[in-house]
Amino acid sequence: MVGGGALIASLAEEGWLSRLLSFRLLVIGGEISYSIYMTHQVVNLGILPHIHGLSLSLTFLLVTTITITSSAFLFYFVEAPVRDAVKARLKTRTSATEGRIKQAAELPIVQLSSKIEAGRRF
């Protein structure tokens, strides 16, 4: 618990740990980590049965390279654009909802209750 508190405290300021974790390759690794998690088993099952005669280190290098490359591709061309589109859509819906709430707040109570009873949108 003390270690976790020390980690949070050290990241709150511009210390050496914060600068280390801001290193570009570590940031990219953090961004694509979920994609790596989701693709590594697919790559293992799709590639390993077809590799024969390679050393263990070469096989590891090949599978790791394919996993990281496919994960980066999936993150930058699928996951991030879909995430951004969903965020934009939710923001638009939130704005529309806030507009309807503002309209309802401006209506007199009698008018608002009749609209609610009629099941109409205001």
Side-chain angles (χ1 to χ4, degrees), residues 19-92:
R19 284 192 308 272
L20 175 69
L21 294 177
S22 296
F23 187 62
R24 183 74 180 138
L25 284 178
L26 290 178
V27 171
I28 292 171
E31 288 178 337
I32 69 170
S33 63
Y34 185 70
S35 294
I36 290 173
Y37 166 72
M38 294 299 290
T39 59
H40 82 278
Q41 194 64 24
V42 174
V43 172
N44 286 341
L45 292 173
I47 299 294
L48 288 178
H50 305 291
I51 297 176
H52 304 288
L54 291 179
S55 67
L56 183 61
S57 59
L58 198 55
T59 301
F60 175 78
L61 182 65
L62 178 65
V63 169
T64 302
T65 302
I66 291 170
T67 300
I68 291 174
T69 304
S70 62
S71 297
F73 175 82
L74 285 172
F75 176 78
Y76 289 111
F77 295 106
V78 178
E79 185 180 338
V82 169
R83 179 197 62 212
D84 295 342
V86 168
K87 280 184 178 180
R89 175 77 173 134
L90 289 175
K91 187 175 182 180
T92 303

Side-chain angles (χ1 to χ4, degrees), residues 67-121:
T67 300
I68 291 174
T69 304
S70 62
S71 297
F73 175 82
L74 285 172
F75 176 78
Y76 289 111
F77 295 106
V78 178
E79 185 180 338
V82 169
R83 179 197 62 212
D84 295 342
V86 168
K87 280 184 178 180
R89 175 77 173 134
L90 289 175
K91 187 175 182 180
T92 303
R93 288 184 67 196
T94 302
S95 297
T97 302
E98 288 171 354
R100 286 195 302 272
I101 290 171
K102 185 177 180 184
Q103 286 175 348
E106 294 171 353
L107 289 175
I109 298 295
V110 176
Q111 222 178 0
L112 178 61
S113 63
S114 64
K115 286 188 180 238
I116 291 172
E117 288 172 5
R120 295 183 300 205
R121 294 187 117 179

